[in-house]
Amino acid sequence: MSVRQVTALPILIFLMLLAPGASSAGEAGLFVLTVPLSGPLEPLGRNAAQGAELALKTWGGGYELKVEDENGEPDPYLDPAPVSVALGYFTESRFSEDAPRYLYLKKPVMLPFLTNPEAAGRGPNSFFRLMPSSTEQGRYLALEVLEMKKRPQRILIVQGVGPRQAELVGAFSETLAAPPQPPPPPPPPPGQRPPRSPAPIKPLDSKALVLIKDLEQAMRPDDIPELAKNTPDLILLALDLPEALSLAPVLAESRFKKSPLWGGIVLGFRETGAAYASLSLDLSLCLPVVNLADTRNRALQDFKRKYITDYQAHPTWIAALAYDSLNLAIKAVASSDSPESLLAFLSSQPHHSLAAYDLAAGGGGTPPMGLMPVRAETLGFLP
């Protein structure tokens, strides 16, 4: 997608406009969400804006949310000085334009949708990536395989043409062959028995068949001689959205129809889920780790009910992630009494998706509730 380029201000004027204290704005309590509200990614940007607006309505009394169009001209009247936390960005191009002003003012930026580690690397301990990279997705999916009681013996990997798909497949294959081992437990206090060391993670059996096929080969599943008349125990789809949609009807007509399908973030988009569900394909695991069909997650059900009431539509994981992201931002601001403590609060959190956040912990009163707790039963299809 092409992104408009903005001519930079002369550096002296730029720094004068952004210098701390240059604004007479009131107390910090402003969140800025930058998402595409025009262009091909507009539907996703609208989902994100709705999720964040719902979070503000639910938990953000006393705060203000400004939504910026990622593909439009920056608001010339938006003063970044009173901004508490900036969020969003679907493209690194626009983020790279906005990053200097937030970095100069030491304003935290939460990146729930950008997967590339380089984005957060522009401002360590200031820019926080929440979405796992392609490499991290591959490792995560491989560890899920290695944790299965009955490990698959026939794995078919369908790899698309993009570099991120190649990164996911490479990390998946490497982790199956040489999984990372859990660290040893810390030494016990004096007089106490040392804790038992965690069991090592065994690699996938060397006799297991792991096939990597490109999309063209996968479009002819009956011509994969290595599988003969067998069906895969697991099919990993490392594809972009058009590739995943083009493969769906082929799988539905093949002997692979009942094989569990796993994949990365792209399988979570509504178009993919609807297509695979309509064809009765077993799309059983994709990232990020939120299952919008989980009926046991009370916070999730409450979010869905409010979202449907306000927008007359079912939420997507994009909306859920924006909702949780702003919840975390609200909790961070409410728990901090200075810009330094705000950055320290966010720096203390793990930032590989919001699945690790327990937003309901501490704080007193009725704090924001996280939609994505780490539990095995929350892994699953993203409707």
Side-chain angles (χ1 to χ4, degrees):
M1 178 182 69
S2 61
V3 179
R4 165 210 43 77
Q5 298 296 322
V6 177
T7 303
L9 290 171
I11 188 65
L12 180 60
I13 299 176
F14 178 79
L15 294 179
M16 289 176 63
L17 288 173
L18 296 185
S23 169
S24 58
E27 292 295 322
L30 172 64
F31 301 105
V32 176
L33 175 73
T34 303
V35 291
L37 301 179
S38 58
L41 296 182
E42 178 184 0
L44 304 184
R46 295 288 177 188
N47 285 166
Q50 290 169 346
E53 289 165 356
L54 186 57
L56 188 80
K57 177 180 177 181
T58 305
W59 307 108
Y63 296 103
E64 180 184 355
L65 175 66
K66 170 72 174 179
V67 181
E68 282 262 274
D69 183 2
E70 190 164 337
N71 295 326
E73 293 291 335
D75 184 351
Y77 301 105
L78 177 61
D79 180 4
V83 172
S84 297
V85 179
L87 308 94
Y89 297 101
F90 280 66
T91 64
E92 192 176 4
S93 300
R94 175 59 185 269
F95 171 64
S96 66
E97 296 173 8
D98 291 354
R101 62 177 179 173
Y102 292 119
L103 186 60
Y104 179 74
L105 289 174
K106 296 182 173 60
K107 299 291 184 179
V109 181
M110 295 171 57
L111 305 171
F113 309 113
L114 286 178
T115 63
N116 47 321
E118 294 78 14
R122 293 175 181 270
N125 297 322
S126 293
F127 302 157
F128 303 103
R129 178 173 58 94
L130 308 181
M131 186 66 72
S133 68
S134 299
T135 297
E136 291 159 345
Q137 293 175 54
R139 291 173 181 161
Y140 178 91
L141 292 165
L143 289 173
E144 285 293 306
V145 169
L146 297 177
E147 291 176 4
M148 297 172 69
K149 291 182 178 179
K150 184 179 180 181
R151 292 180 173 182
Q153 294 301 300
R154 294 182 300 274
I155 300 176
L156 173 62
I157 302 173
V158 184
Q159 179 178 323
V161 297
R164 293 185 180 179
Q165 286 85 339
E167 291 171 4
L168 189 152
V169 171
F172 181 81
S173 303
E174 292 168 8
T175 305
L176 288 180
Q181 298 303 318
Q192 292 189 14
R193 181 177 299 177
R196 179 179 298 178
S197 297
I201 302 176
K202 296 180 180 179
L204 189 68
D205 189 342
S206 59
K207 296 180 181 179
L209 180 64
V210 180
L211 297 176
I212 301 178
K213 299 293 181 180
D214 60 31
L215 182 62
E216 183 179 351
Q217 293 170 311
M219 296 291 278
R220 305 186 305 273
D222 291 334
D223 294 338
I224 301 179
E226 297 92 336
L227 289 170
K229 295 182 179 180
N230 294 315
T231 57
D233 299 321
L234 172 66
I235 300 178
L236 176 72
L237 301 179
L239 304 171
D240 64 18
L241 183 58
E243 291 170 338
L245 292 175
S246 67
L247 183 61
V250 176
L251 290 176
E253 295 298 327
S254 75
R255 66 179 190 274
F256 299 166
K257 180 175 182 177
K258 299 299 182 183
S259 297
L261 303 171
W262 288 18
I265 290 169
V266 69
L267 295 188
F269 288 110
R270 184 178 296 280
E271 298 95 322
T272 319
Y276 280 63
S278 67
L279 295 169
S280 301
L281 293 169
D282 184 10
L283 185 57
S284 56
L285 176 61
C286 50
L287 300 176
V289 286
V290 59
N291 179 2
L292 294 178
D294 181 10
T295 59
R296 291 166 291 188
N297 187 331
R298 188 170 60 183
L300 178 58
Q301 294 304 310
D302 186 53
F303 161 72
K304 289 174 60 178
R305 183 168 54 253
K306 292 176 180 177
Y307 191 96
I308 293 171
T309 298
D310 282 16
Y311 301 110
Q312 289 76 55
H314 287 273
T316 65
W317 67 267
I318 293 285
L321 191 52
Y323 180 89
D324 256 5
S325 298
L326 190 59
N327 275 353
L328 178 61
I330 293 170
K331 184 171 178 60
V333 172
S335 304
S336 309
D337 56 9
S338 68
E340 293 76 18
S341 63
L342 174 60
L343 286 173
F345 180 95
L346 291 172
S347 298
S348 68
Q349 310 298 316
H351 290 97
H352 291 167
S353 88
L354 287 175
Y357 296 138
D358 180 7
L359 300 183
T366 308
M369 294 287 289
L371 299 180
M372 307 182 195
V374 177
R375 297 199 314 266
E377 59 265 33
T378 65
L379 301 178
F381 168 52
L382 303 170

